[in-house]
Amino acid sequence: MTETIDARSSKKVPDGKLIRVDLTYDDRIESVTITGDFFLEPPEAREELERAIEGHPNDVERDELLVAIQDVDASLIGFTAGDLADVTREALT
């Protein structure tokens, strides 16, 4: 049985916003919460982004996360999909 781990990572995007990712994972990412001082359009897209990250294996590659994040129909203001993928990967290490 794999241990369940709670992890957090954050990043202040240069000339941008703060992104914080809290997640719980074992072999797979079980739950994700994205917070920070960024903006999303529409605001409800935050939950869609969280669902897009959940379920991936804990050794997911950055590019796979990037594709999942980019598949969400949202405008990310003050950060990029790559920033979110990087913060998520950092929390998993």
Side-chain angles (χ1 to χ4, degrees), residues 22-57:
D22 291 273
L23 51 85
T24 301
Y25 67 96
D26 48 27
D27 292 340
R28 296 200 165 270
I29 301 170
E30 294 181 4
S31 66
V32 176
T33 303
I34 303 167
T35 57
D37 61 357
F38 56 81
F39 298 97
L40 290 171
E41 189 59 46
E44 304 80 43
R46 183 181 58 80
E47 291 180 9
E48 292 180 48
L49 289 168
E50 293 168 349
R51 300 299 83 82
I53 295 169
E54 290 173 351
H56 284 88

Side-chain angles (χ1 to χ4, degrees), residues 8-81:
R8 170 184 279 185
S9 183
S10 62
K11 175 180 183 177
K12 174 70 173 148
V13 178
D15 299 323
K17 300 295 185 177
L18 175 72
I19 309 167
R20 180 177 303 125
V21 173
D22 291 273
L23 51 85
T24 301
Y25 67 96
D26 48 27
D27 292 340
R28 296 200 165 270
I29 301 170
E30 294 181 4
S31 66
V32 176
T33 303
I34 303 167
T35 57
D37 61 357
F38 56 81
F39 298 97
L40 290 171
E41 189 59 46
E44 304 80 43
R46 183 181 58 80
E47 291 180 9
E48 292 180 48
L49 289 168
E50 293 168 349
R51 300 299 83 82
I53 295 169
E54 290 173 351
H56 284 88
N58 65 11
D59 61 350
V60 62
E61 297 291 331
R62 180 189 186 275
D63 288 346
E64 187 176 344
L65 280 175
L66 185 60
V67 168
I69 293 165
Q70 290 174 331
D71 280 348
V72 175
D73 186 21
S75 295
L76 314 178
I77 303 166
F79 70 107
T80 67

